[in-house]
Amino acid sequence: MPYGDVMLTISQDLVDKIKAHARADHPDEACGIIAGRDGEPERFIAMANAERSPTFYRFDSSEQLKVWREMDDRDEEPVVIYHSHTATEAYPSRTDVTYASEPNAHYVLVSTALEQFRSFRIIDGVVTEEEVRIVAG
Amino acid sequence: MAIEVRIPTILRTYTDGAKAVDATGATLEELIGDLEARHPGIKDRLVDAGKLRRFVNVYLNDEDVRFLGGLGTPVSDGDTVTVLPAVAGG
């Protein structure tokens, strides 16, 4: 089973960074990743939302290439891919599911409207919510 | 010599797990045709109705080919083509 545990273990510090980014970009959607090795989220990377939209997000393609190369050099992967919903609940939309293409990633959604922080696996169009365990640090 | 094509995790089922494969061609379209001959099925994941799929980013060296010439972008030996899934949603 290459997809790891059906649980996201993440530090309080990283959770706070994601929430702060979501708040800062509200009412537009915020997006980014947490890079890491062996499925452990470590390095917070806020990405620009090229759409600057309250209903859609897209990583800027040039920034994405730069960040993905950097991860490659450091043997990291996008352990967490996060974005915010600013008027609806933190659950993957149909568009989120259509685009989801990292079977190893935890898809984190935060809702700035409802103050939710939730994590999902999205594999072959199937959404599975997973437990989030927040640890100190 | 050939052109190195870097393959994202999600498409490595077509390349027996390889992170990078070689292909040849004078344009991106020809290159993808050659990729398809070597790794059947991969073209359909990159191209739809004669255009690059919205869900993938293809880069020639450091540049998104959408800002170059799309599928008609000329490529030459020693270039690197990188495929990444677009990260987007609603």
Side-chain angles (χ1 to χ4, degrees):
Chain A
M1 179 72 180
Y3 299 133
D5 300 334
V6 189
M7 183 199 288
L8 169 64
T9 303
I10 184 171
S11 71
Q12 184 69 55
D13 177 54
L14 290 170
V15 171
D16 291 345
K17 283 179 170 153
I18 290 174
K19 287 181 175 172
H21 183 204
R23 270 198 306 271
D25 283 14
H26 183 90
D28 287 345
E29 293 194 6
C31 56
I33 65 168
I34 301 175
R37 300 185 188 93
D38 304 319
E40 203 167 305
E42 284 162 358
R43 198 161 63 92
F44 174 80
I45 306 167
M47 303 285 288
N49 178 1
E51 301 287 329
R52 293 182 182 282
S53 159
T55 55
F56 200 71
Y57 81 97
R58 179 194 293 270
F59 287 6
D60 173 80
S61 67
S62 305
E63 184 181 30
Q64 189 188 343
L65 178 65
K66 191 181 123 255
V67 168
W68 255 244
R69 278 207 182 133
E70 213 171 77
M71 283 194 289
D72 228 24
D73 292 344
R74 300 164 64 120
D75 279 322
E76 294 172 334
E77 3 171 271
V79 177
V80 168
I81 296 175
Y82 73 85
H83 77 283
S84 62
H85 284 172
T86 56
T88 55
E89 67 172 330
Y91 191 87
S93 65
R94 212 173 310 158
T95 327
D96 292 336
V97 176
T98 307
Y99 271 95
S101 52
E102 294 283 357
N104 296 321
H106 301 267
Y107 284 89
V108 164
L109 279 99
V110 293
S111 166
T112 44
L114 303 169
E115 302 214 355
Q116 294 172 332
F117 184 105
R118 297 165 74 180
S119 183
F120 304 85
R121 295 289 186 165
I122 309 176
I123 300 165
D124 294 331
V126 178
V127 176
T128 311
E129 182 155 17
E130 58 184 4
E131 191 187 329
V132 177
R133 194 161 66 95
I134 299 174
V135 296
Chain B
M1 246 180 98
I3 294 155
E4 184 190 52
V5 185
R6 304 187 65 88
I7 306 291
T9 315
I10 189 105
L11 296 183
R12 288 181 198 155
T13 46
Y14 298 98
T15 60
D16 292 325
K19 291 171 89 165
V21 295
D22 283 344
T24 59
T27 63
L28 185 61
E29 189 162 25
E30 286 182 23
L31 186 83
I32 291 173
D34 185 49
L35 264 187
E36 173 68 17
R38 298 168 193 238
H39 310 284
I42 200 165
K43 181 179 178 179
D44 189 50
R45 302 295 298 272
L46 303 174
V47 178
D48 180 41
K51 285 173 70 178
L52 277 176
R53 283 186 177 276
R54 276 189 304 142
F55 307 137
V56 291
N57 295 332
V58 178
Y59 306 88
L60 174 62
N61 302 318
D62 292 336
E63 202 65 51
D64 186 334
V65 300
R66 285 194 181 86
F67 305 124
L68 299 170
L71 284 173
T73 305
V75 293
S76 40
D77 285 354
D79 280 342
T80 300
V81 168
T82 305
V83 179
L84 290 182
V87 182

PDB file of all heavy atoms in Angstrom, chain A residues 100-135:
ATOM      1  N   ALA A 100      -7.410  16.570  -8.859  1.00  0.00           N
ATOM      2  CA  ALA A 100      -6.510  15.910  -7.905  1.00  0.00           C
ATOM      3  C   ALA A 100      -5.639  14.874  -8.609  1.00  0.00           C
ATOM      4  O   ALA A 100      -6.152  13.945  -9.224  1.00  0.00           O
ATOM      5  CB  ALA A 100      -7.329  15.248  -6.809  1.00  0.00           C
ATOM      6  N   SER A 101      -4.327  15.056  -8.546  1.00  0.00           N
ATOM      7  CA  SER A 101      -3.466  14.163  -9.320  1.00  0.00           C
ATOM      8  C   SER A 101      -2.219  13.737  -8.559  1.00  0.00           C
ATOM      9  O   SER A 101      -1.253  13.297  -9.141  1.00  0.00           O
ATOM     10  CB  SER A 101      -3.060  14.852 -10.614  1.00  0.00           C
ATOM     11  OG  SER A 101      -2.524  16.115 -10.314  1.00  0.00           O
ATOM     12  N   GLU A 102      -2.258  13.887  -7.247  1.00  0.00           N
ATOM     13  CA  GLU A 102      -1.138  13.410  -6.442  1.00  0.00           C
ATOM     14  C   GLU A 102      -1.685  12.374  -5.466  1.00  0.00           C
ATOM     15  O   GLU A 102      -2.121  12.707  -4.368  1.00  0.00           O
ATOM     16  CB  GLU A 102      -0.479  14.571  -5.667  1.00  0.00           C
ATOM     17  CG  GLU A 102       0.203  15.617  -6.542  1.00  0.00           C
ATOM     18  CD  GLU A 102       1.560  15.169  -7.075  1.00  0.00           C
ATOM     19  OE1 GLU A 102       2.013  14.059  -6.720  1.00  0.00           O
ATOM     20  OE2 GLU A 102       2.156  15.925  -7.864  1.00  0.00           O
ATOM     21  N   PRO A 103      -1.660  11.097  -5.876  1.00  0.00           N
ATOM     22  CA  PRO A 103      -2.281  10.066  -5.041  1.00  0.00           C
ATOM     23  C   PRO A 103      -1.621   9.917  -3.669  1.00  0.00           C
ATOM     24  O   PRO A 103      -2.219   9.373  -2.744  1.00  0.00           O
ATOM     25  CB  PRO A 103      -2.135   8.783  -5.868  1.00  0.00           C
ATOM     26  CG  PRO A 103      -1.097   9.084  -6.891  1.00  0.00           C
ATOM     27  CD  PRO A 103      -1.126  10.563  -7.127  1.00  0.00           C
ATOM     28  N   ASN A 104      -0.380  10.413  -3.551  1.00  0.00           N
ATOM     29  CA  ASN A 104       0.303  10.280  -2.262  1.00  0.00           C
ATOM     30  C   ASN A 104       0.046  11.463  -1.333  1.00  0.00           C
ATOM     31  O   ASN A 104       0.480  11.457  -0.185  1.00  0.00           O
ATOM     32  CB  ASN A 104       1.813  10.152  -2.476  1.00  0.00           C
ATOM     33  CG  ASN A 104       2.158   8.889  -3.228  1.00  0.00           C
ATOM     34  OD1 ASN A 104       1.550   7.844  -3.005  1.00  0.00           O
ATOM     35  ND2 ASN A 104       3.104   8.982  -4.140  1.00  0.00           N
ATOM     36  N   ALA A 105      -0.615  12.497  -1.854  1.00  0.00           N
ATOM     37  CA  ALA A 105      -0.753  13.723  -1.058  1.00  0.00           C
ATOM     38  C   ALA A 105      -1.975  13.686  -0.149  1.00  0.00           C
ATOM     39  O   ALA A 105      -2.981  13.041  -0.436  1.00  0.00           O
ATOM     40  CB  ALA A 105      -0.838  14.928  -1.984  1.00  0.00           C
ATOM     41  N   HIS A 106      -1.842  14.401   0.975  1.00  0.00           N
ATOM     42  CA  HIS A 106      -2.997  14.705   1.818  1.00  0.00           C
ATOM     43  C   HIS A 106      -3.560  16.022   1.281  1.00  0.00           C
ATOM     44  O   HIS A 106      -2.834  17.024   1.241  1.00  0.00           O
ATOM     45  CB  HIS A 106      -2.588  14.919   3.275  1.00  0.00           C
ATOM     46  CG  HIS A 106      -1.887  13.747   3.898  1.00  0.00           C
ATOM     47  ND1 HIS A 106      -2.552  12.773   4.610  1.00  0.00           N
ATOM     48  CD2 HIS A 106      -0.583  13.397   3.912  1.00  0.00           C
ATOM     49  CE1 HIS A 106      -1.687  11.885   5.049  1.00  0.00           C
ATOM     50  NE2 HIS A 106      -0.479  12.227   4.641  1.00  0.00           N
ATOM     51  N   TYR A 107      -4.806  16.005   0.877  1.00  0.00           N
ATOM     52  CA  TYR A 107      -5.438  17.244   0.425  1.00  0.00           C
ATOM     53  C   TYR A 107      -6.108  17.911   1.615  1.00  0.00           C
ATOM     54  O   TYR A 107      -7.117  17.423   2.122  1.00  0.00           O
ATOM     55  CB  TYR A 107      -6.448  16.963  -0.693  1.00  0.00           C
ATOM     56  CG  TYR A 107      -5.774  16.687  -2.019  1.00  0.00           C
ATOM     57  CD1 TYR A 107      -5.397  15.402  -2.375  1.00  0.00           C
ATOM     58  CD2 TYR A 107      -5.480  17.734  -2.892  1.00  0.00           C
ATOM     59  CE1 TYR A 107      -4.742  15.150  -3.579  1.00  0.00           C
ATOM     60  CE2 TYR A 107      -4.833  17.491  -4.095  1.00  0.00           C
ATOM     61  CZ  TYR A 107      -4.472  16.204  -4.439  1.00  0.00           C
ATOM     62  OH  TYR A 107      -3.823  15.962  -5.627  1.00  0.00           O
ATOM     63  N   VAL A 108      -5.510  19.004   2.072  1.00  0.00           N
ATOM     64  CA  VAL A 108      -6.053  19.726   3.221  1.00  0.00           C
ATOM     65  C   VAL A 108      -6.927  20.869   2.729  1.00  0.00           C
ATOM     66  O   VAL A 108      -6.536  21.619   1.835  1.00  0.00           O
ATOM     67  CB  VAL A 108      -4.918  20.255   4.124  1.00  0.00           C
ATOM     68  CG1 VAL A 108      -5.438  21.322   5.085  1.00  0.00           C
ATOM     69  CG2 VAL A 108      -4.284  19.105   4.906  1.00  0.00           C
ATOM     70  N   LEU A 109      -8.119  20.952   3.292  1.00  0.00           N
ATOM     71  CA  LEU A 109      -8.999  22.081   3.002  1.00  0.00           C
ATOM     72  C   LEU A 109      -9.299  22.821   4.279  1.00  0.00           C
ATOM     73  O   LEU A 109      -9.555  22.210   5.321  1.00  0.00           O
ATOM     74  CB  LEU A 109     -10.307  21.603   2.363  1.00  0.00           C
ATOM     75  CG  LEU A 109     -10.178  21.337   0.860  1.00  0.00           C
ATOM     76  CD1 LEU A 109      -9.988  19.872   0.594  1.00  0.00           C
ATOM     77  CD2 LEU A 109     -11.375  21.881   0.135  1.00  0.00           C
ATOM     78  N   VAL A 110      -9.222  24.147   4.201  1.00  0.00           N
ATOM     79  CA  VAL A 110      -9.645  24.948   5.329  1.00  0.00           C
ATOM     80  C   VAL A 110     -10.789  25.834   4.857  1.00  0.00           C
ATOM     81  O   VAL A 110     -10.824  26.256   3.705  1.00  0.00           O
ATOM     82  CB  VAL A 110      -8.510  25.830   5.901  1.00  0.00           C
ATOM     83  CG1 VAL A 110      -7.438  24.984   6.534  1.00  0.00           C
ATOM     84  CG2 VAL A 110      -7.896  26.703   4.838  1.00  0.00           C
ATOM     85  N   SER A 111     -11.724  26.050   5.749  1.00  0.00           N
ATOM     86  CA  SER A 111     -12.806  26.985   5.447  1.00  0.00           C
ATOM     87  C   SER A 111     -12.640  28.199   6.340  1.00  0.00           C
ATOM     88  O   SER A 111     -12.648  28.081   7.561  1.00  0.00           O
ATOM     89  CB  SER A 111     -14.167  26.331   5.695  1.00  0.00           C
ATOM     90  OG  SER A 111     -15.170  27.326   5.705  1.00  0.00           O
ATOM     91  N   THR A 112     -12.454  29.342   5.689  1.00  0.00           N
ATOM     92  CA  THR A 112     -12.341  30.570   6.478  1.00  0.00           C
ATOM     93  C   THR A 112     -13.711  31.007   6.974  1.00  0.00           C
ATOM     94  O   THR A 112     -13.824  31.696   7.980  1.00  0.00           O
ATOM     95  CB  THR A 112     -11.699  31.710   5.650  1.00  0.00           C
ATOM     96  OG1 THR A 112     -12.290  31.726   4.356  1.00  0.00           O
ATOM     97  CG2 THR A 112     -10.215  31.516   5.513  1.00  0.00           C
ATOM     98  N   ALA A 113     -14.756  30.591   6.269  1.00  0.00           N
ATOM     99  CA  ALA A 113     -16.115  30.963   6.684  1.00  0.00           C
ATOM    100  C   ALA A 113     -16.547  30.155   7.901  1.00  0.00           C
ATOM    101  O   ALA A 113     -17.188  30.672   8.812  1.00  0.00           O
ATOM    102  CB  ALA A 113     -17.092  30.746   5.529  1.00  0.00           C
ATOM    103  N   LEU A 114     -16.181  28.873   7.914  1.00  0.00           N
ATOM    104  CA  LEU A 114     -16.682  27.980   8.965  1.00  0.00           C
ATOM    105  C   LEU A 114     -15.593  27.537   9.933  1.00  0.00           C
ATOM    106  O   LEU A 114     -15.838  26.710  10.816  1.00  0.00           O
ATOM    107  CB  LEU A 114     -17.333  26.747   8.321  1.00  0.00           C
ATOM    108  CG  LEU A 114     -18.482  27.079   7.350  1.00  0.00           C
ATOM    109  CD1 LEU A 114     -18.886  25.841   6.548  1.00  0.00           C
ATOM    110  CD2 LEU A 114     -19.686  27.603   8.126  1.00  0.00           C
ATOM    111  N   GLU A 115     -14.382  28.097   9.744  1.00  0.00           N
ATOM    112  CA  GLU A 115     -13.255  27.737  10.617  1.00  0.00           C
ATOM    113  C   GLU A 115     -13.047  26.237  10.714  1.00  0.00           C
ATOM    114  O   GLU A 115     -12.925  25.678  11.816  1.00  0.00           O
ATOM    115  CB  GLU A 115     -13.443  28.355  12.007  1.00  0.00           C
ATOM    116  CG  GLU A 115     -13.571  29.873  11.915  1.00  0.00           C
ATOM    117  CD  GLU A 115     -12.955  30.578  13.105  1.00  0.00           C
ATOM    118  OE1 GLU A 115     -12.510  29.889  14.033  1.00  0.00           O
ATOM    119  OE2 GLU A 115     -12.903  31.817  13.075  1.00  0.00           O
ATOM    120  N   GLN A 116     -13.026  25.571   9.561  1.00  0.00           N
ATOM    121  CA  GLN A 116     -12.761  24.131   9.551  1.00  0.00           C
ATOM    122  C   GLN A 116     -11.357  23.864   9.008  1.00  0.00           C
ATOM    123  O   GLN A 116     -10.845  24.622   8.188  1.00  0.00           O
ATOM    124  CB  GLN A 116     -13.757  23.412   8.637  1.00  0.00           C
ATOM    125  CG  GLN A 116     -15.198  23.463   9.125  1.00  0.00           C
ATOM    126  CD  GLN A 116     -16.157  22.902   8.077  1.00  0.00           C
ATOM    127  OE1 GLN A 116     -15.890  22.951   6.876  1.00  0.00           O
ATOM    128  NE2 GLN A 116     -17.277  22.375   8.542  1.00  0.00           N
ATOM    129  N   PHE A 117     -10.777  22.759   9.456  1.00  0.00           N
ATOM    130  CA  PHE A 117      -9.493  22.279   8.944  1.00  0.00           C
ATOM    131  C   PHE A 117      -9.645  20.782   8.774  1.00  0.00           C
ATOM    132  O   PHE A 117      -9.778  20.048   9.752  1.00  0.00           O
ATOM    133  CB  PHE A 117      -8.378  22.611   9.957  1.00  0.00           C
ATOM    134  CG  PHE A 117      -6.995  22.255   9.487  1.00  0.00           C
ATOM    135  CD1 PHE A 117      -6.107  23.235   9.060  1.00  0.00           C
ATOM    136  CD2 PHE A 117      -6.562  20.931   9.479  1.00  0.00           C
ATOM    137  CE1 PHE A 117      -4.821  22.905   8.639  1.00  0.00           C
ATOM    138  CE2 PHE A 117      -5.280  20.596   9.051  1.00  0.00           C
ATOM    139  CZ  PHE A 117      -4.404  21.593   8.636  1.00  0.00           C
ATOM    140  N   ARG A 118      -9.696  20.305   7.537  1.00  0.00           N
ATOM    141  CA  ARG A 118      -9.962  18.883   7.304  1.00  0.00           C
ATOM    142  C   ARG A 118      -8.996  18.334   6.253  1.00  0.00           C
ATOM    143  O   ARG A 118      -8.449  19.085   5.454  1.00  0.00           O
ATOM    144  CB  ARG A 118     -11.417  18.693   6.836  1.00  0.00           C
ATOM    145  CG  ARG A 118     -12.419  19.128   7.896  1.00  0.00           C
ATOM    146  CD  ARG A 118     -13.808  19.301   7.339  1.00  0.00           C
ATOM    147  NE  ARG A 118     -14.491  18.036   7.037  1.00  0.00           N
ATOM    148  CZ  ARG A 118     -15.726  17.969   6.536  1.00  0.00           C
ATOM    149  NH1 ARG A 118     -16.417  19.064   6.281  1.00  0.00           N
ATOM    150  NH2 ARG A 118     -16.284  16.800   6.297  1.00  0.00           N
ATOM    151  N   SER A 119      -8.796  17.022   6.274  1.00  0.00           N
ATOM    152  CA  SER A 119      -7.840  16.416   5.348  1.00  0.00           C
ATOM    153  C   SER A 119      -8.462  15.230   4.622  1.00  0.00           C
ATOM    154  O   SER A 119      -9.242  14.474   5.210  1.00  0.00           O
ATOM    155  CB  SER A 119      -6.596  15.977   6.106  1.00  0.00           C
ATOM    156  OG  SER A 119      -5.641  15.450   5.198  1.00  0.00           O
ATOM    157  N   PHE A 120      -8.075  15.064   3.361  1.00  0.00           N
ATOM    158  CA  PHE A 120      -8.682  14.041   2.505  1.00  0.00           C
ATOM    159  C   PHE A 120      -7.622  13.380   1.642  1.00  0.00           C
ATOM    160  O   PHE A 120      -6.604  13.979   1.307  1.00  0.00           O
ATOM    161  CB  PHE A 120      -9.720  14.687   1.566  1.00  0.00           C
ATOM    162  CG  PHE A 120     -10.782  15.454   2.285  1.00  0.00           C
ATOM    163  CD1 PHE A 120     -10.568  16.782   2.649  1.00  0.00           C
ATOM    164  CD2 PHE A 120     -11.986  14.859   2.621  1.00  0.00           C
ATOM    165  CE1 PHE A 120     -11.538  17.507   3.337  1.00  0.00           C
ATOM    166  CE2 PHE A 120     -12.961  15.571   3.312  1.00  0.00           C
ATOM    167  CZ  PHE A 120     -12.737  16.899   3.670  1.00  0.00           C
ATOM    168  N   ARG A 121      -7.913  12.136   1.262  1.00  0.00           N
ATOM    169  CA  ARG A 121      -7.204  11.494   0.164  1.00  0.00           C
ATOM    170  C   ARG A 121      -8.126  11.571  -1.030  1.00  0.00           C
ATOM    171  O   ARG A 121      -9.341  11.368  -0.889  1.00  0.00           O
ATOM    172  CB  ARG A 121      -6.936  10.019   0.488  1.00  0.00           C
ATOM    173  CG  ARG A 121      -6.008   9.813   1.656  1.00  0.00           C
ATOM    174  CD  ARG A 121      -4.602  10.209   1.281  1.00  0.00           C
ATOM    175  NE  ARG A 121      -3.678   9.892   2.354  1.00  0.00           N
ATOM    176  CZ  ARG A 121      -2.363   9.858   2.190  1.00  0.00           C
ATOM    177  NH1 ARG A 121      -1.825  10.128   1.018  1.00  0.00           N
ATOM    178  NH2 ARG A 121      -1.578   9.578   3.196  1.00  0.00           N
ATOM    179  N   ILE A 122      -7.587  11.875  -2.175  1.00  0.00           N
ATOM    180  CA  ILE A 122      -8.400  11.877  -3.391  1.00  0.00           C
ATOM    181  C   ILE A 122      -7.665  11.013  -4.414  1.00  0.00           C
ATOM    182  O   ILE A 122      -6.633  11.402  -4.953  1.00  0.00           O
ATOM    183  CB  ILE A 122      -8.617  13.308  -3.942  1.00  0.00           C
ATOM    184  CG1 ILE A 122      -9.132  14.248  -2.831  1.00  0.00           C
ATOM    185  CG2 ILE A 122      -9.616  13.272  -5.102  1.00  0.00           C
ATOM    186  CD1 ILE A 122      -9.274  15.707  -3.254  1.00  0.00           C
ATOM    187  N   ILE A 123      -8.174   9.820  -4.619  1.00  0.00           N
ATOM    188  CA  ILE A 123      -7.507   8.866  -5.496  1.00  0.00           C
ATOM    189  C   ILE A 123      -8.504   8.341  -6.516  1.00  0.00           C
ATOM    190  O   ILE A 123      -9.543   7.786  -6.140  1.00  0.00           O
ATOM    191  CB  ILE A 123      -6.902   7.697  -4.681  1.00  0.00           C
ATOM    192  CG1 ILE A 123      -5.870   8.239  -3.677  1.00  0.00           C
ATOM    193  CG2 ILE A 123      -6.267   6.674  -5.614  1.00  0.00           C
ATOM    194  CD1 ILE A 123      -5.495   7.256  -2.597  1.00  0.00           C
ATOM    195  N   ASP A 124      -8.158   8.525  -7.798  1.00  0.00           N
ATOM    196  CA  ASP A 124      -9.045   8.078  -8.886  1.00  0.00           C
ATOM    197  C   ASP A 124     -10.473   8.569  -8.691  1.00  0.00           C
ATOM    198  O   ASP A 124     -11.426   7.806  -8.881  1.00  0.00           O
ATOM    199  CB  ASP A 124      -9.036   6.546  -9.001  1.00  0.00           C
ATOM    200  CG  ASP A 124      -7.674   6.019  -9.433  1.00  0.00           C
ATOM    201  OD1 ASP A 124      -6.962   6.752 -10.135  1.00  0.00           O
ATOM    202  OD2 ASP A 124      -7.333   4.886  -9.051  1.00  0.00           O
ATOM    203  N   GLY A 125     -10.599   9.811  -8.289  1.00  0.00           N
ATOM    204  CA  GLY A 125     -11.922  10.408  -8.180  1.00  0.00           C
ATOM    205  C   GLY A 125     -12.673  10.055  -6.908  1.00  0.00           C
ATOM    206  O   GLY A 125     -13.811  10.466  -6.726  1.00  0.00           O
ATOM    207  N   VAL A 126     -12.039   9.278  -6.031  1.00  0.00           N
ATOM    208  CA  VAL A 126     -12.710   8.884  -4.796  1.00  0.00           C
ATOM    209  C   VAL A 126     -12.150   9.695  -3.617  1.00  0.00           C
ATOM    210  O   VAL A 126     -10.945   9.728  -3.386  1.00  0.00           O
ATOM    211  CB  VAL A 126     -12.530   7.371  -4.518  1.00  0.00           C
ATOM    212  CG1 VAL A 126     -13.197   6.980  -3.214  1.00  0.00           C
ATOM    213  CG2 VAL A 126     -13.079   6.563  -5.680  1.00  0.00           C
ATOM    214  N   VAL A 127     -13.046  10.343  -2.889  1.00  0.00           N
ATOM    215  CA  VAL A 127     -12.656  11.184  -1.759  1.00  0.00           C
ATOM    216  C   VAL A 127     -12.817  10.398  -0.462  1.00  0.00           C
ATOM    217  O   VAL A 127     -13.874   9.828  -0.202  1.00  0.00           O
ATOM    218  CB  VAL A 127     -13.561  12.434  -1.687  1.00  0.00           C
ATOM    219  CG1 VAL A 127     -13.226  13.276  -0.455  1.00  0.00           C
ATOM    220  CG2 VAL A 127     -13.425  13.270  -2.949  1.00  0.00           C
ATOM    221  N   THR A 128     -11.761  10.362   0.333  1.00  0.00           N
ATOM    222  CA  THR A 128     -11.837   9.722   1.638  1.00  0.00           C
ATOM    223  C   THR A 128     -11.351  10.711   2.689  1.00  0.00           C
ATOM    224  O   THR A 128     -10.194  11.140   2.631  1.00  0.00           O
ATOM    225  CB  THR A 128     -10.936   8.464   1.700  1.00  0.00           C
ATOM    226  OG1 THR A 128     -11.211   7.657   0.558  1.00  0.00           O
ATOM    227  CG2 THR A 128     -11.179   7.664   2.969  1.00  0.00           C
ATOM    228  N   GLU A 129     -12.208  11.071   3.619  1.00  0.00           N
ATOM    229  CA  GLU A 129     -11.755  11.952   4.689  1.00  0.00           C
ATOM    230  C   GLU A 129     -10.898  11.160   5.657  1.00  0.00           C
ATOM    231  O   GLU A 129     -11.131   9.974   5.882  1.00  0.00           O
ATOM    232  CB  GLU A 129     -12.935  12.585   5.433  1.00  0.00           C
ATOM    233  CG  GLU A 129     -12.451  13.535   6.526  1.00  0.00           C
ATOM    234  CD  GLU A 129     -13.464  14.622   6.901  1.00  0.00           C
ATOM    235  OE1 GLU A 129     -14.649  14.488   6.564  1.00  0.00           O
ATOM    236  OE2 GLU A 129     -13.031  15.598   7.551  1.00  0.00           O
ATOM    237  N   GLU A 130      -9.883  11.811   6.193  1.00  0.00           N
ATOM    238  CA  GLU A 130      -9.005  11.122   7.141  1.00  0.00           C
ATOM    239  C   GLU A 130      -8.890  11.933   8.423  1.00  0.00           C
ATOM    240  O   GLU A 130      -9.170  13.134   8.451  1.00  0.00           O
ATOM    241  CB  GLU A 130      -7.623  10.908   6.521  1.00  0.00           C
ATOM    242  CG  GLU A 130      -6.960  12.210   6.092  1.00  0.00           C
ATOM    243  CD  GLU A 130      -5.632  12.002   5.388  1.00  0.00           C
ATOM    244  OE1 GLU A 130      -5.234  10.855   5.146  1.00  0.00           O
ATOM    245  OE2 GLU A 130      -4.982  13.017   5.106  1.00  0.00           O
ATOM    246  N   GLU A 131      -8.461  11.249   9.457  1.00  0.00           N
ATOM    247  CA  GLU A 131      -8.304  11.897  10.752  1.00  0.00           C
ATOM    248  C   GLU A 131      -7.108  12.843  10.709  1.00  0.00           C
ATOM    249  O   GLU A 131      -6.114  12.567  10.032  1.00  0.00           O
ATOM    250  CB  GLU A 131      -8.062  10.818  11.805  1.00  0.00           C
ATOM    251  CG  GLU A 131      -8.135  11.300  13.226  1.00  0.00           C
ATOM    252  CD  GLU A 131      -7.715  10.195  14.205  1.00  0.00           C
ATOM    253  OE1 GLU A 131      -7.948   9.013  13.898  1.00  0.00           O
ATOM    254  OE2 GLU A 131      -7.152  10.540  15.249  1.00  0.00           O
ATOM    255  N   VAL A 132      -7.203  13.967  11.407  1.00  0.00           N
ATOM    256  CA  VAL A 132      -6.069  14.889  11.509  1.00  0.00           C
ATOM    257  C   VAL A 132      -5.574  14.855  12.952  1.00  0.00           C
ATOM    258  O   VAL A 132      -6.339  15.098  13.880  1.00  0.00           O
ATOM    259  CB  VAL A 132      -6.477  16.332  11.144  1.00  0.00           C
ATOM    260  CG1 VAL A 132      -5.295  17.288  11.318  1.00  0.00           C
ATOM    261  CG2 VAL A 132      -7.002  16.396   9.711  1.00  0.00           C
ATOM    262  N   ARG A 133      -4.305  14.483  13.115  1.00  0.00           N
ATOM    263  CA  ARG A 133      -3.720  14.476  14.462  1.00  0.00           C
ATOM    264  C   ARG A 133      -2.721  15.621  14.540  1.00  0.00           C
ATOM    265  O   ARG A 133      -1.744  15.655  13.780  1.00  0.00           O
ATOM    266  CB  ARG A 133      -3.013  13.141  14.715  1.00  0.00           C
ATOM    267  CG  ARG A 133      -2.673  12.916  16.189  1.00  0.00           C
ATOM    268  CD  ARG A 133      -2.421  11.443  16.458  1.00  0.00           C
ATOM    269  NE  ARG A 133      -1.216  10.986  15.758  1.00  0.00           N
ATOM    270  CZ  ARG A 133      -0.007  10.933  16.307  1.00  0.00           C
ATOM    271  NH1 ARG A 133       0.180  11.265  17.570  1.00  0.00           N
ATOM    272  NH2 ARG A 133       1.034  10.528  15.605  1.00  0.00           N
ATOM    273  N   ILE A 134      -3.005  16.562  15.411  1.00  0.00           N
ATOM    274  CA  ILE A 134      -2.135  17.736  15.532  1.00  0.00           C
ATOM    275  C   ILE A 134      -1.206  17.539  16.715  1.00  0.00           C
ATOM    276  O   ILE A 134      -1.653  17.252  17.829  1.00  0.00           O
ATOM    277  CB  ILE A 134      -2.979  19.023  15.700  1.00  0.00           C
ATOM    278  CG1 ILE A 134      -3.872  19.203  14.453  1.00  0.00           C
ATOM    279  CG2 ILE A 134      -2.072  20.240  15.879  1.00  0.00           C
ATOM    280  CD1 ILE A 134      -4.854  20.352  14.541  1.00  0.00           C
ATOM    281  N   VAL A 135       0.091  17.666  16.445  1.00  0.00           N
ATOM    282  CA  VAL A 135       1.080  17.469  17.497  1.00  0.00           C
ATOM    283  C   VAL A 135       1.773  18.793  17.809  1.00  0.00           C
ATOM    284  O   VAL A 135       1.779  19.702  16.984  1.00  0.00           O
ATOM    285  CB  VAL A 135       2.112  16.383  17.099  1.00  0.00           C
ATOM    286  CG1 VAL A 135       1.427  15.037  16.942  1.00  0.00           C
ATOM    287  CG2 VAL A 135       2.823  16.754  15.800  1.00  0.00           C
TER     288      VAL A 135
END
